[in-house]
């Protein structure tokens, strides 16, 4: 059986891990990427280095234990050489990339700091990691997709990148994400005729293993009273956008709320 290949960034934990598992169940060969190679070595740079769960080896093992196909490749969004090497590895090993899920984010200290506290070097790293380098990754994959005759890309953004701030302290998360939002729009505009469809989604407030690990008993306060979604809700939408022939009509500039996607558009997820 010939699998389609999906490259998922930030698939070691959180929403990315759940997306990777869901895509494997849908029949994709999943390339699990991230910085954390082995169990017990993950940490959250924006929260003082607090330990967090998840690793490439664990996500791959979970997929394989369920009968799916997966392998891991290191990819650090702050390290452009690692992006080049990851894409080259996937194309050599799998021969194609049918789906790119741009889920991972750079999480340096500047994304949690106030305007007067941000170091410019950190701001530049955040802009590179959450916009420039993700553009670079998307363009590398785009070239491969054009050559193979088509493909789909899903870009994970955040509602805070388009709404006025309510909490502060995240300028160099929301700012680069606002620029990131335009990548799928331009890809669709310039390469729809090449069989490429790019989608922009956001997961709303979602309680992940990373948040639970970082915030512990204060997890209820993270969403400022908003009901938390389950990562599987976003994963279900990603699978539908990645596989359904009718999904191409949702490609473009609109930011879709992933957990409410099926209800918003009166679509049956089955």
């Amino acid at each position: 059986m010939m699998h389609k290949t999906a490259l998922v960034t930030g698939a070691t934990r959180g929403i990315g891990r759940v997306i990777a598992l869901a895509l494997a169940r849908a029949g994709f060969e999943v390339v699990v990427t991230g910085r954390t190679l082995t169990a017990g070595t993950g940490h959250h740079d924006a929260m003082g280095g607090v330990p967090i769960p998840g690793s490439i080896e664990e996500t791959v093992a979970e997929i394989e234990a369920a009968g799916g196909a997966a392998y891991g490749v290191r990819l650090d969004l702050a390290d452009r050489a690692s992006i080049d090497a990851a894409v080259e590895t996937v194309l050599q090993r799998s021969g194609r990339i049918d789906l790119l899920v741009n889920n991972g984010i750079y999480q340096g200290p500047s994304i949690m700091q106030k305007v007067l506290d941000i170091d410019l070097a950190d701001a530049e790293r955040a802009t590179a990691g959450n916009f420039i380098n993700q553009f670079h990754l998307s363009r590398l994959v785009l070239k491969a997709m054009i050559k193979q005759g088509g493909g789909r890309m899903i870009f994970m953004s955040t509602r805070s990148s388009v709404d006025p701030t309510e909490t502060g302290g995240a300028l160099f998360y929301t700012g680069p994400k606002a620029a990131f939002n335009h990548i799928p729009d331009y890809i669709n505009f310039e390469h729809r005729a090449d069989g490429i469809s790019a989608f922009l989604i956001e997961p709303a407030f979602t309680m992940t293993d990373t948040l639970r690990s970082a915030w512990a008993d204060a997890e209820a306060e993270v969403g400022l009273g908003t009901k938390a979604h389950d990562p599987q809700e976003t994963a279900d939408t990603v699978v539908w956008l990645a596989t359904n022939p009718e999904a191409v009509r949702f490609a473009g500039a609109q930011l879709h709320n992933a957990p409410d996607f099926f209800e918003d558009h009166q679509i049956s997820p089955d």
Side-chain angles (χ1 to χ4, degrees):
M1 177 181 174
M2 184 69 175
H3 292 281
K4 287 189 173 183
T5 298
L7 191 163
V8 184
T9 66
T12 55
R13 59 185 62 89
I15 297 172
R17 171 185 155 275
V18 178
I19 288 172
L21 294 169
L23 289 170
R25 289 194 297 271
F28 282 88
E29 172 190 55
V30 180
V31 184
V32 176
T33 76
R35 295 186 308 162
T36 309
L37 298 175
T38 58
T41 61
H43 59 274
H44 200 302
D45 293 336
M47 294 183 179
V50 62
I52 50 178
S55 65
I56 288 175
E57 67 176 14
E58 290 172 291
T59 303
V60 170
E62 193 170 355
I63 290 172
E64 292 179 338
Y71 61 92
V73 178
R74 180 183 179 277
L75 191 156
D76 182 350
L77 290 171
D79 178 5
R80 202 168 300 162
S82 80
I83 296 172
D84 295 341
V87 173
E88 182 177 357
T89 297
V90 176
L91 292 177
Q92 288 180 349
R93 180 164 175 171
S94 300
R96 60 190 294 118
I97 301 173
D98 299 280
L99 174 68
L100 170 65
V101 182
N102 265 323
N103 163 78
I105 61 171
Y106 168 82
Q107 299 193 84
S110 65
I111 70 167
M112 298 293 288
Q113 293 173 339
K114 297 183 182 299
V115 168
L116 292 179
D117 298 328
I118 296 169
D119 180 83
L120 280 181
D122 287 338
E124 289 172 345
R125 281 189 286 270
T127 303
N130 286 329
F131 174 52
I132 299 295
N133 290 351
Q134 302 217 34
F135 165 73
H136 176 62
L137 169 61
S138 303
R139 189 164 62 170
L140 289 176
V141 174
L142 175 63
K143 291 175 182 177
M145 287 181 172
I146 292 171
K147 186 175 181 179
Q148 71 197 24
R152 296 188 183 185
M153 299 183 181
I154 297 175
F155 292 74
M156 185 78 73
S157 189
T158 172
R159 175 60 56 183
S160 62
S161 66
V162 297
D163 289 344
T165 185
E166 295 180 350
T167 60
L171 174 60
F172 277 90
Y173 174 61
T174 59
K177 275 292 190 183
F180 169 91
N181 292 351
H182 291 279
I183 301 174
D185 183 27
Y186 277 87
I187 287 175
N188 281 298
F189 181 76
E190 297 177 5
H191 295 285
R192 185 179 290 108
D194 295 314
I196 313 298
S197 296
F199 308 87
L200 183 65
I201 68 172
E202 59 99 9
F205 172 53
T206 298
M207 183 51 66
T208 66
D209 48 2
T210 303
L211 284 178
R212 286 195 178 94
S213 177
W215 290 91
D217 294 337
E219 68 178 60
E221 301 173 15
V222 180
L224 301 177
T226 303
K227 179 183 178 295
H229 290 283
D230 188 278
Q232 189 62 50
E233 296 176 75
T234 290
D236 291 342
T237 297
V238 168
V239 170
W240 192 88
L241 293 174
T243 59
N244 196 293
E246 296 183 11
V248 295
R249 64 192 174 103
F250 297 104
Q254 182 179 352
L255 178 61
H256 298 284
N257 178 305
D260 297 328
F261 179 81
F262 299 111
E263 181 179 353
D264 288 346
H265 298 287
Q266 298 183 323
I267 295 169
S268 168
D270 300 323

